[in-house]
Amino acid sequence: MNGLTVMLIALVALACGYFGYARWLEKTWGVDPNRPTPAVENKGGDYAPANKWTVFAHQFTSITGAGPVTGPIIAAMFGWLPALLWMLVGGVFFGAVQDFTALYASVKNGGRSIGMIIEDYVGRTGRQLFLLFCWLFTLLVIAAFCDMVANTFNGFAKDGTQLMPNAAAGSISLIYMAGAVAFGLYLKYMKPTAGVQFVVGVVLMVAMVALGIYCPVYLDSVTWRYVVFAYLFAASVMPMWLLKQPRDYLSMFLLIGMIVCGVLGVFVKNPTLNMPAFVGWEVKNLDLFPILFVTIACGAVSGFHSLVSSGTSSKMVANEKDMRLVGYGSMCVEVVLGVVALVIVCAGAQNGVLPAGTPFQTFSRSVAGFLTDIFGVPTNIAACILTMCVSALALTSVDAVARIGRMSLQELFAPRPGEAKTPVQKLFTNTVFSTVLTLALGYAICLAGYMSVWPLFGSANQLLSALVLTGLAVFLKATGRKGWMLYGPMTVMFLVTMTALVQAVLRIFGQIADGTFVFMVGGLQLIIAVALIILALLVVYHCVLKLREPAPAAKAGSVKA
């Protein structure tokens, strides 16, 4: 099979999903372009109405983390066909639907998060369980992605040699932070048209990249870790319009440019996939089910995406008709990135053996080669740009996660409507305190070695997807909307997650039996795995009870609102 054919199949399938299935969902559930959105009604702080492309940029850059590149490349060990099918089927009918529905439900409920929506339609216990899970999940993401970014920006090799591409990428990122604030002030006070905003954004992006390459900053990974956490604090507490929103918009040009370059490279070079379509049901003692569906998360369906849709993007949507582009469209573009990564790594395989090196190294080398071969970009400049693009995948996700983690903690301790806050609630709902606590614990996990719990990260992410889909199904039924299209995805994701977690627990007990058990690693994994299983069963139990109830009378202002 050649790469061009695979790419064309993917693009046609995703186009059918966006222009066909997503439009049908939009018409089925109802969209009112004349109804004021939460962003317009509550403007200020976390609420910042923006045009659809700015919101799309925020959603896309926030959800497009390391997963769309690493997941498909790792899953290619089963062959390129299983990975491709899961990304297309999962992207069109699972992931994009979840992201769009989460955004839709939040906008229809005052911009509230999924956890708060669950309280309305499932109950307070369900809300507390869900929010606790979300907050703990964000700590894992903060620890992992911050460590990844710090190591990417590390300007020194183990022998002390300076690494110019890494240092330049770090410098570009620092300039991006300052440039984003300036761009945010420009947008707020000059109020340019969408066209002018685009032109200024592209010019500013090119200038910042050029300046960063010309003035590389050589810092070690420890120092970069401090810088990244300081940035996360600022991104979590500053108004959305001042830092996060403009930075995501400017980062979009880098990420979209990287994807376009990858797609063009596949079209121009039309590489042959030197990997079998299907290797087998079991590879390296790993079963295709559930490993494939856990490994490819962000490239098909990811529970984390729903936190972005309902946590930040819903507070930026200025018109309900923009939700399909933001929620469904951004996921489709992410799937394109996953397919490009799959094609590139399979084209680089030799005799059915995947290339050596990390997934990011393989991907970066190939796309940088496309820049050089197709556009004549010097090799060292191409390496700097791709290093920055790869780091941006993680950085634009982790700053969204940090803000979502802060809001999840605040919502967890929020009093019932009409109740006064206790001293403890006042402390934990304070923006600065909740941010510091979230980042401090994330930093502690980062120092302690997040790899001890990372094997369960994929399962936790997919478990979140199952819980969100179940909660959204309750919302749709409770408000008189059709929700059967969520039943299949939520059931599949629940079975995938439970199978993966039970397998993890059995492996740990196997280690105990054969004497290879290490308490500091295995003990922590066992505790987390059991906790996730119990939490999932409790949340699903409460949601299924609601799904089995007869549909109640429509709530005023909610059905087809």
Side-chain angles (χ1 to χ4, degrees):
M1 178 68 75
N2 60 67
L4 179 57
T5 301
V6 171
M7 202 73 249
L8 287 173
I9 291 173
L11 293 176
V12 170
L14 294 170
C16 291
Y18 180 76
F19 293 105
Y21 190 51
R23 183 167 290 172
W24 176 76
L25 291 176
E26 190 178 54
K27 292 180 179 179
T28 300
W29 294 335
V31 169
D32 184 0
N34 298 316
R35 180 174 181 263
T37 64
V40 174
E41 293 182 321
N42 306 298
K43 188 175 181 180
D46 291 327
Y47 293 83
N51 67 64
K52 63 182 179 181
W53 293 110
T54 300
V55 189
F56 170 86
H58 165 74
Q59 175 80 7
F60 172 70
T61 56
S62 296
I63 68 174
T64 309
V69 172
T70 58
I73 291 177
I74 295 173
M77 63 183 177
F78 293 106
W80 60 263
L81 185 58
L84 177 66
L85 290 177
W86 171 231
M87 281 191 287
L88 296 183
V89 175
V92 171
F93 297 105
F94 286 61
V97 172
Q98 173 205 252
D99 299 358
F100 172 61
T101 313
L103 178 64
Y104 178 88
S106 182
V107 169
K108 291 294 189 180
N109 283 271
R112 305 170 75 198
S113 71
I114 292 296
M116 304 300 285
I117 294 173
I118 286 178
E119 179 180 22
D120 285 347
Y121 300 102
V122 178
R124 187 172 181 83
T125 301
R127 177 196 105 158
Q128 296 298 84
L129 292 170
F130 183 84
L131 288 174
L132 178 60
F133 174 84
C134 289
W135 183 64
L136 295 175
F137 176 77
T138 61
L139 299 183
L140 286 178
V141 180
I142 290 171
F145 282 25
C146 285
D147 195 49
M148 183 187 302
V149 172
N151 289 324
T152 302
F153 289 164
N154 183 10
F156 302 97
K158 291 182 179 179
D159 60 1
T161 305
Q162 291 184 335
L163 302 174
M164 189 271 185
N166 293 21
S171 178
I172 294 171
S173 189
L174 287 175
I175 296 171
Y176 248 76
M177 295 173 190
V181 174
F183 190 59
L185 292 170
Y186 166 74
L187 296 180
K188 181 175 179 63
Y189 294 107
M190 299 303 294
K191 294 180 172 46
T193 63
V196 173
Q197 176 181 322
F198 175 82
V199 172
V200 173
V202 171
V203 172
L204 184 58
M205 182 272 295
V206 172
M208 290 189 295
V209 170
L211 181 60
I213 294 175
Y214 183 75
C215 304
V217 175
Y218 292 93
L219 300 174
D220 59 24
S221 59
V222 175
T223 304
W224 274 117
R225 195 179 295 136
Y226 294 142
V227 173
V228 170
F229 272 89
Y231 163 71
L232 293 184
F233 177 81
S236 298
V237 301
M238 293 175 67
M240 283 289 292
W241 65 266
L242 184 57
L243 177 58
K244 187 77 178 75
Q245 196 177 79
R247 191 187 190 286
D248 288 339
Y249 184 80
L250 295 172
S251 296
M252 177 186 66
F253 297 116
L254 280 175
L255 300 183
I256 293 294
M258 177 182 66
I259 294 174
V260 170
C261 182
V263 172
L264 287 177
V266 172
F267 271 73
V268 172
K269 293 184 173 293
N270 190 20
T272 300
L273 275 60
N274 299 315
M275 192 74 187
F278 181 65
V279 174
W281 297 101
E282 181 180 330
V283 178
K284 298 179 181 179
N285 295 321
L286 297 173
D287 296 322
L288 186 145
F289 182 90
I291 298 301
L292 173 71
F293 306 94
V294 172
T295 301
I296 301 181
C298 294
V301 57
S302 168
F304 159 65
H305 294 184
S306 67
L307 302 185
V308 177
S309 293
S310 67
T312 52
S313 295
S314 62
K315 299 175 177 61
M316 297 168 58
V317 172
N319 194 300
E320 288 190 6
K321 62 184 176 62
D322 299 339
M323 291 190 290
R324 180 164 62 97
L325 172 68
V326 175
Y328 201 101
S330 58
M331 181 62 205
C332 289
V333 178
E334 185 174 11
V335 175
V336 173
L337 175 59
V339 174
V340 169
L342 178 67
V343 169
I344 285 175
V345 71
C346 289
Q350 294 184 355
N351 299 320
V353 179
L354 296 173
T358 66
F360 269 144
Q361 289 173 338
T362 303
F363 180 78
S364 298
R365 284 195 302 264
S366 299
V367 180
F370 291 160
L371 275 176
T372 300
D373 296 342
I374 298 175
F375 300 103
V377 178
T379 302
N380 63 326
I381 301 298
C384 292
I385 294 174
L386 262 295
T387 302
M388 177 57 196
C389 289
V390 167
S391 64
L393 287 174
L395 195 56
T396 53
S397 291
V398 75
D399 56 10
V401 169
R403 194 178 189 97
I404 291 168
R406 180 263 291 176
M407 291 191 294
S408 295
L409 185 60
Q410 288 179 298
E411 291 177 346
L412 183 62
F413 284 88
R416 295 176 184 272
E419 292 183 353
K421 290 183 180 180
T422 65
V424 172
Q425 289 174 325
K426 288 181 180 180
L427 178 64
F428 281 87
T429 55
N430 177 272
T431 298
V432 173
F433 177 82
S434 57
T435 300
V436 170
L437 180 59
T438 299
L439 294 180
L441 291 177
Y443 186 79
I445 297 174
C446 185
L447 293 179
Y450 72 90
M451 282 305 296
S452 61
V453 295
W454 189 251
L456 296 174
F457 171 79
S459 298
N461 188 30
Q462 301 304 68
L463 171 60
L464 178 59
S465 175
L467 301 183
V468 168
L469 287 167
T470 306
L472 291 173
V474 175
F475 155 74
L476 293 173
K477 181 174 182 178
T479 56
R481 296 175 170 90
K482 295 178 181 179
W484 56 263
M485 60 286 292
L486 269 61
Y487 295 170
M490 77 185 193
T491 302
V492 170
M493 297 315 300
F494 182 74
L495 293 176
V496 164
T497 304
M498 286 297 103
T499 303
L501 289 174
V502 170
Q503 287 180 346
V505 172
L506 292 177
R507 280 195 298 270
I508 295 172
F509 280 117
Q511 294 171 359
I512 296 175
D514 61 23
T516 60
F517 179 74
V518 180
F519 180 77
M520 290 300 295
V521 177
L524 187 58
Q525 290 184 6
L526 180 61
I527 292 172
I528 293 177
V530 173
L532 292 178
I533 291 173
I534 294 174
L535 180 62
L537 293 174
L538 288 174
V539 175
V540 170
Y541 171 75
H542 286 281
C543 290
V544 170
L545 286 181
K546 290 294 181 180
L547 284 175
R548 295 183 63 183
E549 293 178 358
K555 296 175 67 175
S558 63
V559 178
K560 305 299 180 186

